[in-house]
Amino acid sequence: MKKILTGLKPTGELTLGNFIGAIMQMRKMQDEYDSYLFIADMHAITIHQNPSELRKRIKDFLALYIACGIDPKKNIIYLQSENEYIPAISWLLECTTYYGEASRMIQFKEKSKNNANFSVGLLTYPVLMAADILYADIDLVPVGIDQKQHVELARDIAIRFNKMYGDTFVVPQPLISQTGTKIKDLKDPTKKMSKSEESPNGVITLLDDVELAKKKIMSATTDSEMSIKFDEEKKPGISNLINIYSSLTGKTISEVEKEFEECNYGTFKKAVANVVADTLTQIQEKYQELMQGDALDKMIDEGIQISRKIAKEKFETMKEKMGLHR
Ligand code: TYM
């Protein structure tokens, strides 16, 4: 059985963009693949986080994964920082990664721009991401388009390490979904809907009040035409809403265009708002259940044990191949 893995950083709150871009894909694939899903909390601290807020978000994220339909019986679910072998593996990989490669990463360039005091972790972050993937010999990494470059770097690192020290890692591939790859901000549909977005009306979080979420869809930026047609360049707002509707209903883009051929923007937005509201209601009900009792902790304890065992073996293999032993 092929292996898939993905992670989410607990910065800001989980959004509809994360749900459509990453979690929904994992949910579809959990029956066909050996699946790993983790909270990338060590990635979150590349930028300063308030410790008590981070702790709360970690628990929310874990509960939300499961509330979103990720089945702990079919997935290995864990918290990255509870696996101490991952940063150890990351160090060994850092020593086989070029500075030029790391500093070319678009996300690094964007986040370090206009910030003289960015952390070294911001630069080495994609190598930690490579460790997240390579330790478990992952075949496919479902991610949004913004993470594609990082997965490609993980591939390059794996290929280089295999050449230098002999076959050690499976070379992973990014898996970008057809629709919903990049859900945009509702107010500024040229930007991605981001967890840390400062435009609260442009972002729908999974724990948003359902009525408020509907209002956000109803007031989403569109255009002055009246046609519900997918055209990301000329009609980014409508295309974003089509993407959301198509992803949540499983209908294709052309089916959505056909369904709303005769409708005005108000009617279309109402339909999108209702689908979003149904999705959020289901997720929030399960989330509330999971936040009570200790069932959630037990699920995560199981996941981390498996993850640590696999990572320990890979770490020992790497050390041996690199000559790090007596
Ligand atoms: P993060 O936490 O920024 O985002 C988590 C996942 O959600 C996708 N995503 C989106 N997809 C569609 N539309 C959006 N608006 C949107 N916003 C985010 C991201 O592409 C990502 O797939 N470095 C990663 C976390 C990570 C990871 C890994 C992922 C750490 N190690 C190993 C895969 C494998 C990150 O910051 O994702």
Side-chain angles (χ1 to χ4, degrees), residues 23-36:
I23 305 177
M24 271 182 71
Q25 286 205 63
M26 287 298 284
R27 202 171 66 178
K28 272 196 220 138
M29 299 173 87
Q30 61 189 1
D31 293 320
E32 296 153 47
Y33 293 92
D34 194 359
S35 313
Y36 292 65

Side-chain angles (χ1 to χ4, degrees), residues 52-159:
S52 60
E53 279 172 22
L54 180 59
R55 188 163 176 267
K56 167 159 191 331
R57 257 186 265 125
I58 287 172
K59 182 143 190 210
D60 274 356
F61 269 51
L62 287 166
L64 277 170
Y65 270 176
I66 298 167
C68 286
I70 301 295
D71 183 347
K73 292 201 185 78
K74 296 181 186 162
N75 292 268
I76 298 166
I77 305 178
Y78 58 95
L79 184 60
Q80 182 192 32
S81 64
E82 288 181 355
N83 188 338
E84 65 273 32
Y85 296 104
I86 290 175
I89 289 172
S90 180
W91 173 251
L92 302 186
L93 295 178
E94 271 181 41
C95 297
T96 49
T97 306
Y98 302 126
Y99 172 79
E101 284 174 313
S103 57
R104 254 200 320 272
M105 295 292 111
I106 296 164
Q107 229 174 51
F108 168 71
K109 284 199 210 156
E110 277 173 3
K111 292 192 174 163
S112 59
K113 198 168 59 184
N114 305 327
N115 178 4
N117 290 322
F118 61 83
S119 70
V120 176
L122 198 64
L123 175 71
T124 56
Y125 160 120
V127 188
L128 181 60
M129 187 158 157
D132 290 332
I133 300 168
L134 300 182
Y135 90 87
D137 287 326
I138 298 300
D139 300 287
L140 291 172
V141 186
V143 281
I145 194 88
D146 61 314
Q147 294 297 322
K148 185 166 174 254
Q149 196 189 26
H150 292 162
V151 181
E152 282 165 353
L153 178 66
R155 280 176 65 81
D156 292 344
I157 296 174
I159 292 169

Side-chain angles (χ1 to χ4, degrees), residues 5-11 14-23 38 40 43 61 80 107 111 125 128-130 132-133 141-148 150-151 180-185 192-195:
L5 167 144
T6 201
L8 292 115
K9 252 186 347 232
T11 50
L14 274 182
T15 70
L16 196 63
N18 300 129
F19 178 65
I20 293 172
I23 305 177
F38 68 97
H43 279 89
F61 269 51
Q80 182 192 32
Q107 229 174 51
K111 292 192 174 163
Y125 160 120
L128 181 60
M129 187 158 157
D132 290 332
I133 300 168
V141 186
V143 281
I145 194 88
D146 61 314
Q147 294 297 322
K148 185 166 174 254
H150 292 162
V151 181
T181 42
K182 216 170 185 187
I183 299 302
K184 303 285 171 49
D185 187 283
K192 84 165 186 176
M193 184 184 281
S194 159
K195 285 192 240 90

